[in-house]
Amino acid sequence: MKKNVLFMVAALLLCGAVSAQNWGTPDAHAKSSNTPIVARVTVDGNAVTPTVDYRLGAFVGEELRGLAAPHTEDNNFWIQVFYNQGTSETISFKLYDGTNEYTTCSVTKATQEEGWGTPSEPVALDFASTQIMTQTTALAAGWNWWSTPIEMNGVDGLTMLEEALGNEGIRIQSQSNFIDFYDIEGYTFWDGQLNDITNEQMYKIRMSADNTISLTGIAANPSNHPIAITSGWNWIGYPCGSSASLEDAFSGFTPENNDVIKGANSFAQFYNIEGFTFWDGALTTLTPGQGYMYKSNSSSNKTLTFQNRSKGELAEDVSSSGEMFKAIGNDFANNMTITALIELDGENLHSDNYELAAFVGNECRGSVKIKYVRPLDQYLAFLLVHGDREESLRFVLTDGTEITWSTDLLMYVNDATYGTPTEPVVLHFGPMGVNQNNVVLVNFYPNPTHDVFNIEGEDILKIDIINAFGQIVYSKENNNNSIQIDLSRHSIGVYLVRVVTNKGVVTQQIIKE
């Protein structure tokens, strides 16, 4: 009998041992032939005595092709693996003991009619209770939010990540420290204050080019990696190898009303409305390899411990990102969130067939589809905006055919959270197809300024000055073509000046030094 042994490469995104209740039943009638296998099973080198509690499954890819029957008289597992005659497919194995599913088996087989093993010479299938996995992550040029479900051992984990990034890594940054890559006359090294990598932490990784990195090691058990959550923003890792819906991921944790979870491209907020609690937003699923930021509104410290999940329990992530406008998120390390209610032509928007986008000049910094929030019976935009410094934002709404610009302005500030689901920011838009940013000639000088600056234009009707937190700190109606404004009583920083004229609205960023 042929005794070739093919070694299986474990590239599994599984989080420890999980339930096997979702294997299903092999479809024997869909295949024309079968491979009989007689196997002796061990876990960590210890022989397994076949009982009804054990299930041995044979798989081709993720498709179940056979379930073993335990034979107590010879302590073997007998299994038929179904396949189509004339084809040769690779069979892998999974073992379930009633509690845990072991997927790291050192042997695979090929389908063949004569089968494998006999009662006196069974095939040896050795499983390991420690899950070995390979994490493969595609990193884009620019900034990426990253974490790992592979057990990290401090300095060794950092070395592993540095080697995986190679010469295309620029910076690895944690919430408190960072390390940079240097290439000095061909001598390359990493240096900085970051000393280790942990499973509890999210890291922002800056790349000089697109690259796919792989790390192989022991799958982390999330119960061994509790994450400390303090008031305000926390950079958190996701130490699980399988995706989970927000509801499942936070099932053992009690968020506060209006807590925020955000990734590199989307976010969600937590509601607590008269005892009815739920997450809602554009972010619906936590994904292995991705990093997140969690904003806690609690005055007390908490502990977040993620739970093991099986693939069968997971919800599909439904993307709510924009389709017409594409943001250049990887250019920036940071972002902020806006929860907005849209007022279109004097009425609240009652449709999800719209997209909201934020711009700095002609550069799109974020876009999202409008979403219906059933418990609130409202249509809201959960818009994540990218940036690294204070800049003025303007907003555009589109139905996929026509657009309209808002006269409302906000200032971009790193990690700002504008609005909540119950108290959203209101963005006002005129009729679709009408561009409200008509060319209006208004001069602002000097800019930057220390105290006083001037505004000159035709038929100025009103002037508003907005600080970095979106607050109007100055407002005055006017019927002149020029006005002088004194900022001496206001803090140093960046302000938005909105000027309403007979011909339209114009905004300008003013810097007070």
Side-chain angles (χ1 to χ4, degrees), residues 104 179 278:
T104 305
I179 188 170
F278 60 101

Side-chain angles (χ1 to χ4, degrees), residues 53 87 96 260 297 429:
D53 292 330
T87 64
Y96 180 58
V260 178
N297 289 302
F429 293 86

Side-chain angles (χ1 to χ4, degrees), residues 395-459:
F395 301 92
V396 63
L397 185 71
T398 180
D399 60 2
T401 303
E402 296 181 314
I403 67 171
T404 179
W405 291 88
S406 175
T407 57
D408 296 303
L409 301 171
L410 285 177
M411 183 73 73
Y412 173 85
V413 179
N414 287 344
D415 297 325
T417 54
Y418 289 107
T420 67
T422 53
E423 296 183 7
V425 171
V426 180
L427 297 178
H428 304 84
F429 293 86
M432 298 298 296
V434 178
N435 187 342
Q436 296 180 336
N437 282 289
N438 295 324
V439 176
V440 182
L441 297 178
V442 179
N443 294 320
F444 302 80
Y445 67 92
N447 187 18
T449 182
H450 291 290
D451 294 311
V452 176
F453 73 97
N454 301 282
I455 301 175
E456 293 183 352
E458 295 182 4
D459 300 323

Side-chain angles (χ1 to χ4, degrees), residues 8-26:
M8 181 171 64
V9 178
L12 306 174
L13 283 179
L14 290 173
C15 207
V18 295
S19 169
Q21 62 184 338
N22 298 296
W23 282 4
T25 303

Side-chain angles (χ1 to χ4, degrees), residues 42-99:
T42 60
V43 175
D44 295 334
N46 299 313
V48 171
T49 301
T51 67
V52 293
D53 292 330
Y54 281 93
R55 296 176 70 194
L56 178 66
F59 292 79
V60 173
E62 291 296 320
E63 182 184 0
L64 180 68
R65 292 292 186 86
L67 280 174
H71 278 227
T72 55
E73 62 273 18
D74 58 16
N75 286 331
N76 293 325
F77 289 82
W78 295 42
I79 187 170
Q80 284 183 302
V81 183
F82 300 98
Y83 72 102
N84 286 322
Q85 193 170 17
T87 64
S88 180
E89 298 176 294
T90 301
I91 311 165
S92 60
F93 304 90
K94 296 181 182 181
L95 178 69
Y96 180 58
D97 66 2
T99 303

